[in-house]
């Protein structure tokens, strides 16, 4: 595959077998602008959603099962941001943020994660439809950034030493978001017990230092292919394997027929209460801002 296809809207899996490390590196370009075009957010919220989207891409592409879904949700008590949701399924990303614009305007140009979220929680949900498994881990939304919160998610909730770096930059009016995650899995890949995972294994600090040396501008630079960036970081390792790239795009799964079937299950009197002044039931998709108008008569 020519490396021009490894610049934006793509994730690449990495393994460093001798160090028992695996990772993902991803960069989003047009996908971020696509997702943001459905919303009208101030720049601080655009940046935050871009960061959350690339984190979601990293976590989603870690899933082995093709039909696996990952949902990242940050929820707060009394924060400027009330709710942030992103999800990933089969290379498709979507997301939205609910926030208080007035309080955001008072928060200054560069609010900290705590200023935005107050006391908040980061929940990551893994859905494996084929295995019919759903797993959710929740950690307090702490530290300076979403990347720190994701690192503590893996340390606390999963007991996997991990390093996460995320960077977002607007270049000539277009957003670019890049990130990497590396993890130490000395007991092998997923599916095996990790009860013997040692947090102090000597291979891990080495990988974490190399991965952590990545610069924000390298993660966001659309002219730097991801395989070249990996080489910069890990060229002294004896073997670095990359997996097939996963191309990423915006995708929403809201579906008028599904919305109709959900509404149809409500009792008749509750459906009546949903009818608006125009005689229709309106249901909005917060991810893509689509609005569905349903004729109450079609549901009978
Ligand atoms: Zn939608």
């Amino acid at each position: 595959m020519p490396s021009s296809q490894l610049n934006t809207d793509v994730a690449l899996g990495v393994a460093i077998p001798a160090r028992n490390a695996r990772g993902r590196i991803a960069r989003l370009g047009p996908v971020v602008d696509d997702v943001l075009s459905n919303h009208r957010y101030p720049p601080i919220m655009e940046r935050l959603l871009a960061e959350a989207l690339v984190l979601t891409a990293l976590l989603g592409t870690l899933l082995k099962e093709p039909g696996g879904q990952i949902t990242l949700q940050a929820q707060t008590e009394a924060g400027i941001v009330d709710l942030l949701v992103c999800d990933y399924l089969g290379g498709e990303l979507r997301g939205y943020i609910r926030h208080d614009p007035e309080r955001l305007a008072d928060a200054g140009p560069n609010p900290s994660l705590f200023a935005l979220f107050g006391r908040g929680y980061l929940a990551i949900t893994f859905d494996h439809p084929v295995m019919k498994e759903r797993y959710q881990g929740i950690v307090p939304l702490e530290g300076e950034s979403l990347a720190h919160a994701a690192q503590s998610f893996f340390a606390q909730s999963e007991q996997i030493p991990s390093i996460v770096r995320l960077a977002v930059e607007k270049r000539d009016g277009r957003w670019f978001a890049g990130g990497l995650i590396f993890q130490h899995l000395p007991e092998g890949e997923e599916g095996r017990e990790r009860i013997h995972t040692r947090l102090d294994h000597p291979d891990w600090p080495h990988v974490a230092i190399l991965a952590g040396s990545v610069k924000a501008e390298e993660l966001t630079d659309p002219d730097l292919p991801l395989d070249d960036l990996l080489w910069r970081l890990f060229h002294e390792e004896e073997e670095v394997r990359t997996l097939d790239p996963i191309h990423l795009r915006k995708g929403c799964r809201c579906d008028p027929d599904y919305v109709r079937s959900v509404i149809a299950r409500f009792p008749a009197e509750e459906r009546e209460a949903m009818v608006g002044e125009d005689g229709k039931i309106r249901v909005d998709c917060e991810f893509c801002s689509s609005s569905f108008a349903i004729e109450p008569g079609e549901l009978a």
Side-chain angles (χ1 to χ4, degrees):
M1 168 152 309
S3 43
S4 62
Q5 296 189 26
L6 290 175
N7 289 42
T8 50
D9 297 339
V10 65
L12 196 58
V14 197
I16 307 175
R19 307 278 185 190
N20 296 302
R22 69 156 183 190
R24 294 290 182 273
I25 185 163
R27 189 183 298 119
L28 300 176
V31 166
V32 175
D33 292 321
D34 263 12
V35 170
L36 292 175
S37 71
N38 291 140
H39 307 284
R40 277 197 205 158
Y41 296 139
I44 293 169
M45 290 296 107
E46 292 199 334
R47 174 174 291 274
L48 181 64
L49 188 57
E51 202 174 335
L53 283 168
V54 76
L55 176 58
T56 306
L58 292 171
L59 301 178
T61 53
L62 277 176
L63 295 169
K64 282 261 168 78
E65 194 193 320
Q69 179 176 329
I70 189 152
T71 307
L72 183 140
Q73 188 165 330
Q75 223 162 348
T76 67
E77 295 162 19
I80 293 173
V81 175
D82 166 49
L83 177 67
L84 180 163
V85 185
C86 291
D87 70 16
Y88 170 97
L89 175 69
E92 291 188 343
L93 290 163
R94 59 181 187 168
Y96 70 91
I97 292 181
R98 284 207 306 248
H99 74 286
D100 182 333
E102 281 175 26
R103 284 176 60 202
L104 180 65
D106 293 339
N110 230 332
S112 66
L113 193 70
F114 184 77
L116 290 176
F117 285 94
R119 228 173 264 288
Y121 295 89
L122 176 70
I124 300 177
T125 311
F126 301 86
D127 281 295
H128 298 279
V130 174
M131 282 132 69
K132 295 211 174 12
E133 269 181 11
R134 170 174 253 239
Y135 167 77
Q136 187 179 59
I138 299 177
V139 290
L141 204 47
E142 286 169 348
E144 297 157 27
S145 63
L146 273 184
H148 280 105
Q151 263 173 221
S152 36
F153 172 84
F154 281 105
Q156 291 171 30
S157 179
E158 306 271 285
Q159 313 276 299
I160 304 175
S162 304
I163 183 165
V164 180
R165 289 286 183 274
L166 304 173
V168 177
E169 201 191 337
K170 202 170 195 180
R171 294 176 181 232
D172 302 325
R174 297 164 62 203
W175 286 105
F176 292 93
L180 61 75
I181 180 169
F182 275 84
Q183 304 191 307
H184 191 228
L185 295 174
E187 304 303 317
E189 282 287 301
E190 309 91 311
R192 289 174 58 185
E193 281 187 79
R194 288 192 294 260
I195 47 174
H196 300 300
T197 299
R198 283 177 49 194
L199 297 174
D200 60 347
H201 194 291
D203 280 339
W204 174 242
H206 180 83
V207 173
I209 286 167
L210 294 180
S213 72
V214 73
K215 297 186 189 75
E217 60 267 28
E218 291 175 317
L219 287 172
T220 55
D221 181 359
D223 297 322
L224 176 60
L226 295 182
D227 51 351
D228 288 359
L229 177 51
L230 284 175
W231 190 83
R232 272 192 203 177
L233 298 173
F234 297 108
H235 60 95
E236 286 177 9
E237 295 302 293
E238 65 184 56
E239 189 191 6
V240 177
R241 286 187 208 154
T242 55
L243 310 177
D244 286 340
I246 296 178
H247 295 278
L248 303 163
R249 58 203 179 278
K250 179 186 97 169
C252 201
R253 299 186 289 285
C254 55
D255 161 8
D257 291 336
Y258 177 73
V259 171
R260 234 173 260 128
S261 74
V262 171
I263 301 293
R265 273 180 249 145
F266 282 90
E269 60 268 29
E270 284 186 39
R271 290 205 305 261
E272 226 149 273
M274 295 177 196
V275 176
E277 283 176 7
D278 59 356
K280 290 172 185 163
I281 298 172
R282 286 210 173 267
V283 179
D284 299 323
C285 174
E286 291 196 88
F287 283 103
C288 69
S289 305
S290 295
S291 181
F292 303 100
I294 298 166
E295 299 282 351
E298 322 171 37
L299 301 171

